Amino acid sequence: MTMIRKQLYIDPQQDAALKRKARDLGLSEAELVRRALDAALLEPQHSVTPRPSVLQALLEDALAFSRTHQPTDGYTYNREDAYTSEPRLERWGRN
């Protein structure tokens, strides 16, 4: 079976609970996350209901953060640079 690598952020309480549950079930954390995703995505009774107020708060926080965390040296972000920078390529042995 082909696996696709994903990265996500979880809070410390989720991390502790994930570790505890995986240990209790004798599973890897990754397998437990895959099973949780299956349950959330494949079973309608476990579907996630979006809450517009939470999304709105998140967007407002992100906008406020972006206004206070601008580079002062004239740098502008270029997504391509993140994938082709020399240090990154060297780190992965692709230079």
Side-chain angles (χ1 to χ4, degrees):
M1 170 172 48
T2 301
M3 293 285 189
I4 299 170
R5 184 173 188 270
K6 295 288 182 181
Q7 290 180 278
L8 62 136
Y9 291 96
I10 58 176
D11 63 42
Q13 293 82 10
Q14 290 171 320
D15 184 50
L18 176 62
K19 288 180 184 315
R20 188 171 43 254
K21 188 70 163 182
R23 184 181 58 245
D24 292 348
L25 295 174
L27 300 171
S28 69
E29 292 176 32
E31 178 62 21
L32 185 56
V33 169
R34 284 190 292 271
R35 289 182 182 189
L37 278 172
D38 284 343
L41 299 174
L42 302 176
E43 299 177 17
Q45 70 269 24
H46 294 292
S47 64
V48 177
T49 304
R51 296 189 336 214
S53 61
V54 173
L55 178 57
Q56 184 62 37
L58 174 66
L59 293 174
E60 289 170 3
D61 287 349
L63 183 59
F65 181 86
S66 71
R67 288 182 177 143
T68 59
H69 291 79
Q70 295 293 322
T72 57
D73 61 359
Y75 172 80
T76 51
Y77 175 74
N78 178 338
R79 181 178 165 84
E80 190 62 28
D81 288 347
Y83 291 94
T84 59
S85 68
E86 290 300 317
R88 183 180 186 281
L89 295 173
E90 289 171 8
R91 178 178 36 182
W92 297 106
R94 295 183 181 148
N95 195 10

